[in-house]
Amino acid sequence: MRILAIDTALEACSVCVMESGVENPVAMESEPMARGHAEALMPMLERVMKTVDGGFGSLDRVAVTIGPGSFTGLRVGISAARAIALGAGVPAVGVTTLSAYAAPLIASGVRALVAVAIDARHGHVYAQVVGQGGRAVMSPRVILLRDVVRQIGSGPVLVVGSGAEALCAEARFAGLDAAVVDAGPAPDIGWVAKLGMAARPEMALPKPFYLRSPDAKPQDHHRIPRR
């Protein structure tokens, strides 16, 4: 299987092509960015796919991060993934950013709990906690840092995600054995591709995975009433 993976959900714009049975990407490009995903993605896709034999027509699947993350970033990546999949006549699948952050540690077989924390601002994080083998300890949610620590229990815990430093500090303050493994601004695009290969298209739909409503809301009080 050859898969194209796209990530614009957080503070990076990343694209890679991977093939099943091959450890390293066939082609990859990633650039940290807080804004500008819409302008950066299509040129990046073009550059990456130019280096792949057969181009878009050689793809068997497209994977895209579906959140939690930036509302604008999610729309950019998901729209591109759907369009490419439609044009190539292949399935598109969604991968959560939480799963992509946790996957390398779960695959390594660590015995400690793995806590994923993505900064959600105002003292909150998008978080998920899993045990050995990916066993669910806390399902994905928007939650205060101290409440994640309560869910972790006695630890030890390995922490990943853009909110990892803050969660690790909170856990250590509570007396837990905690360590930051990856505090990068976005998950490894290679793991987005690997999870996309393993996903079932009918279950992993390429649609936004929202854990809370957007901060920006329509200003209904400014609307002119209909007559």
Side-chain angles (χ1 to χ4, degrees), residues 178-203:
V180 174
V181 176
D182 176 12
D188 183 338
I189 187 64
W191 279 97
V192 175
K194 291 175 183 179
L195 291 174
M197 286 184 185
R200 295 171 56 187
E202 68 275 14
M203 301 294 292

Side-chain angles (χ1 to χ4, degrees), residues 93-120:
V93 297
V95 174
T96 71
T97 48
L98 297 167
S99 297
Y101 266 125
L105 282 175
I106 295 171
S108 71
V110 295
R111 295 185 177 275
L113 294 178
V114 175
V116 187
I118 297 172
D119 182 21

Side-chain angles (χ1 to χ4, degrees), residues 45 52 60 82 109 123 134 143 151 184 207:
L45 279 165
V52 176
D60 299 299
R82 286 175 171 171
I143 188 171
Q151 294 285 337
K207 63 180 184 179

